[in-house]
Amino acid sequence: MAITISSSTSHMLLLPLLLILAISSTTQANDPDVLFDFIKPINSTLDASFFTYSGLSGFYNEDPKNFTVLKASMSQFPALYGQSVSYAVLQFPPAGVNPPHTHPRAAELLLVMLGTLEVGFVDTANVLYNQTLQEGDMFVFPKGLVHFQYNRNHNQSAIAVSAFGSANAGLLSVPKSVFTTGIDENVLAMSFKTDVPTVQKIELGLKH
């Protein structure tokens, strides 16, 4: 005996399938779930030291000469593997900038610890969301969107702490990815409505 399924019934069956596919797609875009409490190190003793990281203990520097980043991600702190979290300490000299960049695998939550920072990101509609942060202020940069931080104060340094929703957030610097990866200079000149000598000057500046 043939079984027929009405249009309304087929829609009811299709909806859960679409929800499952959407959840599956979202899950694959994030850090992989681990099926254990944590990932044990290979050929090493497992004790509390494995879950301890002291690489950020010397971050405080009132007079940094250049913009610097101290990371606590999966590469530096293997215990973070599978935990979907990492940290970074950002140190800005006076008038220091963290150039436009993206983190393809995580959102970033930034907390200003010292000084002030001008921050912003651009969404996929090319709208800029810009804000000046004081000590104690927080700002979130959505995952994958181009963003920056700038210490506009020419007399005082600034320090911020960033938390990421991934053990390996990734970093894609916009200036370096565009001008230092070998893209044809004529393509860049036409794309930025300028000439090849200007492109070459930018490339040279980014190499130093």
Side-chain angles (χ1 to χ4, degrees):
M1 181 177 67
I3 299 177
T4 59
I5 300 178
S6 68
S7 176
S8 60
T9 302
S10 65
H11 288 162
M12 291 177 63
L13 293 174
L14 184 61
L15 180 59
L17 178 60
L18 292 175
L19 289 174
I20 291 172
L21 290 174
I23 293 172
S24 174
S25 175
T26 302
T27 301
Q28 293 174 3
N30 298 323
D31 284 3
D33 287 334
V34 295
L35 302 179
F36 311 95
D37 294 337
F38 45 83
I39 304 298
K40 297 181 180 179
I42 299 175
N43 299 326
S44 62
T45 303
L46 181 65
D47 56 22
S49 296
F50 176 68
F51 302 97
T52 304
Y53 181 68
S54 301
L56 303 183
S57 59
F59 78 88
Y60 189 77
N61 182 359
E62 289 188 358
D63 188 28
K65 302 303 180 184
N66 301 292
F67 169 71
T68 57
V69 180
L70 297 177
K71 296 181 180 180
S73 63
M74 191 173 69
S75 298
Q76 298 82 24
F77 191 9
L80 295 182
Y81 182 76
Q83 303 302 324
S84 299
V85 65
S86 58
Y87 271 93
V89 174
L90 314 179
Q91 301 182 90
F92 298 81
V97 64
N98 187 5
H101 62 281
T102 70
H103 302 292
R105 293 183 287 274
E108 175 182 358
L109 183 60
L110 179 139
L111 170 64
V112 177
M113 304 295 294
L114 176 70
T116 62
L117 284 177
E118 181 177 332
V119 304
F121 70 87
V122 179
D123 68 9
T124 55
N126 287 327
V127 176
L128 172 65
Y129 296 87
N130 202 48
Q131 185 67 275
T132 298
L133 305 180
Q134 310 295 326
E135 292 179 9
D137 288 345
M138 302 180 79
F139 193 85
V140 63
F141 304 101
K143 181 169 66 173
L145 297 185
V146 173
H147 60 280
F148 66 91
Q149 299 103 22
Y150 172 48
N151 179 12
R152 189 177 290 277
N153 192 321
H154 286 233
N155 299 308
Q156 181 184 358
S157 59
I159 295 177
V161 175
S162 288
F164 300 93
S166 169
N168 185 22
L171 174 66
L172 183 66
S173 169
V174 174
K176 289 185 177 181
S177 65
V178 173
F179 289 100
T180 67
T181 54
I183 297 176
D184 187 280
E185 291 172 346
N186 291 288
V187 172
L188 295 177
M190 289 186 289
S191 299
F192 286 91
K193 310 299 183 185
T194 186
D195 52 38
V196 170
T198 300
V199 170
Q200 293 173 336
K201 184 177 180 180
I202 294 173
E203 290 173 337
L204 183 62
L206 289 172
K207 290 178 181 178
H208 296 287

